[in-house]
Amino acid sequence: MSLTWTAIDFETANQDRGSVCAVGLVRVSEGRVVDRFSTLIRPPEAVSFFSRHNTAVHGITAADVTEAPTWEKVREQVVDFVQGGALVAHNAPFDMGALRQACAHTGQALPAFDYACTLALSRRTWDLPDHRLPTVCAHVGHQITQHHRADADAEAAAHIMIAAMLRYGTSSLPELSRAAGLRLGRLEAIQPVAVPVAAPVVPAAPATEDRYGRWQRAAQSPLPEPSPDADPAGPLFGRTVCVSGDLRAMDKPEVWKRIAEAGGRPAKNVTKKTDVLVVGDSDHGGKTSKHKQAETYIAKGQSIDIITETELVARLGMASA
């Protein structure tokens, strides 16, 4: 089975990684695509609301999944399709987290899986302006026409992995990982548990929420810890990142999560430990207090990268909504 693996991609309804609303799977055997599967999903009930931020990215709404199978059924289909082989994904810690968290929400068991990340691999393999899925696909000669559709993104990850195997002259994921100086990740098995029936979680950020409401909610949100599975060669790994102002595609809890998945340390304030400041849009125009504080530290000799949302998206290997 070492020559057979499955590329996987999840789309989520909201900032909870377990709110899976679509999955795409592409099985590869001996360097060739041999099977495909994709479906919309009704997210686990506890996290079934659709965030406007997520819908803006992938276009899926609550109405689209009304007749879709539940995650309980889709989990069985995913496990059967993978057949015990390894998984491949672009920004794999996110997709592995989605798989694990969705099962946690429904109390389902999950077998262990090895996995490889094409985002980390592409950073080690090709010198590109960024390593977003469309950029890497263009480099390896695969045309991706429906980015942020789960089936298209899984197919893209499969072709990136196949191209990397040709580049390194390898035929299996363990060989390729060694050749690229990476290691396979491991998603440990989880056991089934009884999940109490709970009322659905209400949206954390309704479309009518004003700027003060968004600020208050962000101030109360806990900061996630950096992912231990993040690529050490990534541009945000080990760096303390603060966000100033409002971002177009993500609210602050979401962008903090993305930073942590990349191995960065999200921070709510600019301090002497800050390495990166992301400058978003401000309702009042001009520079925010965090921006001014960062410039004060820079003037005193501290090294702080001040970047835009577009630059952050590129460093995260994402596409802006």
Side-chain angles (χ1 to χ4, degrees):
M1 292 295 291
S2 63
L3 301 182
T4 302
W5 43 269
T6 298
I8 187 169
D9 182 80
F10 283 105
E11 301 299 331
T12 58
N14 55 70
Q15 68 187 37
D16 188 293
R17 271 193 267 187
S19 64
V20 291
C21 62
V23 65
L25 299 164
V26 175
R27 186 187 300 128
V28 174
S29 183
E30 298 183 357
R32 296 184 304 108
V33 174
V34 295
D35 202 1
R36 299 173 176 84
F37 171 79
S38 65
T39 183
L40 291 173
I41 306 167
R42 267 187 287 158
E45 188 64 26
V47 288
S48 60
F49 69 90
F50 277 75
S51 161
R52 61 188 176 91
H53 300 290
N54 291 54
T55 294
V57 172
H58 51 56
I60 303 170
T61 67
D64 294 326
V65 302
T66 301
E67 303 299 325
T70 64
W71 171 246
E72 286 89 340
K73 179 178 180 181
V74 175
R75 187 215 71 100
E76 302 296 334
Q77 294 173 306
V78 169
V79 172
D80 289 346
F81 187 94
V82 174
Q83 298 179 350
L87 297 172
V88 165
H90 203 72
N91 191 18
F94 171 80
D95 294 281
M96 298 307 105
L99 183 56
R100 170 175 283 275
Q101 188 63 23
C103 289
H105 283 312
T106 54
Q108 291 173 284
L110 187 71
F113 291 107
D114 289 330
Y115 68 86
C117 179
T118 54
L119 175 58
L121 177 62
S122 65
R123 286 171 173 160
R124 291 291 183 94
T125 305
W126 297 293
D127 183 13
L128 302 173
D130 62 70
H131 293 85
R132 295 166 48 236
L133 205 55
T135 303
V136 184
C137 283
H139 181 75
V140 303
H142 173 70
Q143 185 177 12
I144 178 171
T145 57
Q146 294 178 304
H147 185 30
H148 286 304
R149 261 189 48 167
D151 54 351
D153 286 1
E155 183 95 17
H159 283 277
I160 291 170
M161 185 60 73
I162 291 169
M165 285 185 168
L166 292 173
R167 164 72 172 75
Y168 286 100
T170 59
S171 58
S172 71
L173 295 183
E175 290 176 345
L176 177 59
S177 296
R178 288 192 294 270
L182 297 169
R183 62 179 179 86
L184 290 178
R186 180 72 171 175
L187 181 64
E188 298 297 338
I190 59 175
Q191 301 302 314
V193 296
V195 177
V197 177
V201 176
V202 296
T208 57
E209 187 177 40
D210 61 15
R211 186 171 186 267
Y212 177 77
R214 292 195 302 272
W215 174 86
Q216 188 175 47
R217 180 169 53 83
Q220 296 171 348
S221 298
L223 292 172
E225 294 295 321
S227 169
D229 297 317
D231 177 16
L236 295 181
F237 187 88
R239 310 195 78 191
T240 298
V241 184
C242 180
V243 179
S244 176
D246 296 326
L247 303 188
R248 296 185 303 275
M250 298 175 282
D251 59 15
K252 284 186 178 176
E254 171 69 11
V255 75
W256 290 336
K257 182 187 73 172
R258 299 282 189 172
I259 290 167
E261 287 169 353
R265 294 185 296 270
K268 295 183 179 180
N269 298 298
V270 173
T271 69
K272 293 181 180 179
K273 295 182 179 179
T274 302
D275 299 302
V276 180
L277 175 68
V278 183
V279 180
D281 298 328
S282 171
D283 289 354
H284 301 293
K287 295 179 179 179
T288 65
S289 59
K290 291 179 184 177
H291 193 161
K292 294 175 181 177
Q293 182 64 61
E295 291 182 332
T296 298
Y297 281 128
I298 290 171
K300 294 179 179 179
Q302 184 171 335
S303 178
I304 301 178
D305 293 337
I306 299 179
I307 65 174
T308 64
E309 178 179 1
T310 301
E311 292 172 297
L312 173 67
V313 162
R315 296 189 188 192
L316 290 172
M318 300 166 52
S320 183

